[in-house]
Amino acid sequence: MKERDTLQNLIKYFGWTIPHLPEVKLNKLIYIAQLYHYTNYGELLTGARFFSRSYGPHAPAISSAIKEALARKAIYLEKSRTSADPTYSNPVMIIKSRGPKDKLSTPCLNTVRAVVEDWGDKSFADIINYTTRTIPFLSTTFRERIDLTIIDRFHGLKHALSLSQRERIHKFVEANDEEVGQDISYSESCPISLHEVVEIYLALQGDSPEKIPSREYLGFYAPAVLKALSVDVGNEKIPEKYLTDIDNAAQLTHELINSMSFRHYSSRVALHTGMLLLKRSGYFFGRDALEDRWPQGNDFQTLREWFFSTALGPQDTRIQG
């Protein structure tokens, strides 16, 4: 009963605060609210089960909740148009609320206010662009349930790479000499974000940075990637004297390869991630670095030697191990 009431209250709140709210937009906003709430408070906002679909996260239970809210006269539908110009728009039914009569808890209210502020006036295309680049959606196989709770909370969980950031990652994968800026990172210990690792994977698959990720490429094990990104180079696996950029890149690559988090190209994802880490420290690589000389092992020492022999320093001088 409580879960149903929460979902009803969310529908009424969004119907009251967002002027143009068709059901498809409401569905995505409730997913965003779920993601925001879990990131901020460590618990789910509603028990509605979201699934990976062609146009992003979708919860079938929301349709039933809308019908129930209509029957209770808590909301009503109003015909509207997708554009101010009737020649180029289609009529659509939008959700209107008679007012958020039921009180929301303070944490819940904080969450939905943030969602309205961030996304209430955004186009549906913008919302799709965001939700289909969030980690919970990308890490879930097509048609499977999206389970946020298997991912440890981190600062960047509710973020997504912008189109320009995604394009830079794709250019980097295509040609290692491209400039790559500093993007969001989930921790201070590693300047590479989980989002960027996943985008490297999508780029290697040949996916387009401006389109919804192809359904056949969805699904990877996010907890293992997060664990690899959080590796401390000062632990017992690496002697304390190894505190160079090369050591960081080798250890990160080693951990990512061992995680086997992606169905395809796991080793290439790991190597490109290590190379990206070094790019941000001023190193660069030849265009065909991986094709000319693939590392002959996945252990830390072999990878360290490979980076030493392959990476070029800021002054275009060959690094000596």
Side-chain angles (χ1 to χ4, degrees):
M1 180 66 71
K2 182 180 178 182
E3 293 292 348
R4 187 187 70 182
D5 290 344
T6 299
L7 190 54
Q8 291 284 323
N9 290 339
L10 289 174
I11 293 171
K12 286 190 289 184
Y13 184 89
F14 286 128
W16 179 258
T17 55
I18 298 177
H20 193 273
L21 186 65
E23 181 179 333
V24 289
K25 184 174 181 179
L26 172 66
N27 206 295
K28 300 298 183 282
L29 291 177
I30 292 178
Y31 167 78
I32 295 172
Q34 187 91 307
L35 181 59
Y36 276 31
H37 201 74
Y38 178 71
T39 302
N40 293 333
Y41 300 104
E43 59 184 24
L44 299 179
L45 186 59
T46 171
R49 291 159 60 95
F50 282 87
F51 295 85
S52 172
R53 294 292 187 262
S54 296
Y55 289 92
H58 176 77
I62 293 176
S63 292
S64 300
I66 290 173
K67 293 177 182 178
E68 183 177 343
L70 286 168
R72 293 169 53 191
K73 299 188 183 302
I75 63 172
Y76 61 96
L77 299 179
E78 184 178 281
K79 185 176 289 188
S80 181
R81 290 189 174 273
T82 56
S83 169
D85 186 347
T87 306
Y88 299 100
S89 68
N90 297 314
V92 63
M93 301 306 293
I94 61 173
I95 297 167
K96 292 290 186 179
S97 175
R98 302 185 189 280
K101 298 177 182 178
D102 298 326
K103 291 184 178 180
L104 297 170
S105 67
T106 299
C108 181
L109 194 56
N110 291 338
T111 296
V112 292
R113 281 175 174 168
V115 173
V116 171
E117 181 179 351
D118 291 347
W119 300 102
D121 61 348
K122 297 293 192 301
S123 69
F124 186 61
D126 288 337
I127 293 173
I128 287 290
N129 181 57
Y130 166 71
T131 55
T132 57
R133 235 63 186 200
T134 58
I135 293 302
F137 175 76
L138 290 170
S139 63
T140 304
T141 304
F142 182 64
R143 292 192 181 278
E144 295 297 319
R145 181 190 176 191
I146 299 172
D147 186 0
L148 275 68
T149 61
I150 68 172
I151 306 174
D152 290 338
R153 291 188 300 152
F154 62 95
H155 178 68
L157 182 59
K158 66 181 182 181
H159 297 300
L161 295 181
S162 66
L163 177 58
S164 62
Q165 290 170 327
R166 300 196 303 259
E167 287 174 339
R168 288 203 299 270
I169 292 295
H170 284 246
K171 288 180 180 179
F172 170 72
V173 170
E174 293 168 5
N176 296 319
D177 57 350
E178 290 286 345
E179 289 296 323
V180 178
Q182 176 71 55
D183 292 317
I184 58 173
S185 60
Y186 93 98
S187 74
E188 294 180 356
S189 62
C190 184
I192 304 296
S193 72
L194 173 57
H195 303 75
E196 292 171 317
V197 178
V198 179
E199 202 62 43
I200 287 173
Y201 169 68
L202 294 175
L204 287 169
Q205 292 279 23
D207 226 8
S208 174
E210 72 274 6
K211 295 182 179 179
I212 296 174
S214 300
R215 63 178 67 177
E216 60 265 33
Y217 304 147
L218 297 175
F220 69 95
Y221 192 52
V225 180
L226 283 171
K227 182 179 179 182
L229 290 172
S230 65
V231 168
D232 181 3
V233 296
N235 66 22
E236 68 275 7
K237 293 182 181 180
I238 307 176
E240 291 185 2
K241 65 179 181 178
Y242 294 155
L243 296 175
T244 68
D245 296 325
I246 294 291
D247 299 317
N248 277 292
Q251 182 66 0
L252 174 58
T253 302
H254 170 68
E255 294 292 337
L256 277 175
I257 291 175
N258 283 351
S259 74
M260 294 298 293
S261 300
F262 300 94
R263 287 177 292 172
H264 308 286
Y265 298 118
S266 280
S267 294
R268 282 186 176 271
V269 172
L271 285 162
H272 276 288
T273 302
M275 293 163 72
L276 180 59
L277 185 68
L278 287 176
K279 278 281 293 183
R280 293 204 168 128
S281 298
Y283 300 92
F284 64 98
F285 298 82
R287 186 182 183 92
D288 299 319
L290 284 175
E291 308 307 324
D292 292 342
R293 186 187 175 196
W294 187 269
Q296 299 303 304
N298 297 334
D299 60 285
F300 166 72
Q301 189 59 40
T302 299
L303 291 168
R304 180 174 179 268
E305 292 172 357
W306 183 83
F307 279 117
F308 263 119
S309 63
T310 307
L312 298 174
Q315 303 302 319
D316 194 18
T317 57
R318 179 66 60 180
I319 301 169
Q320 300 298 322

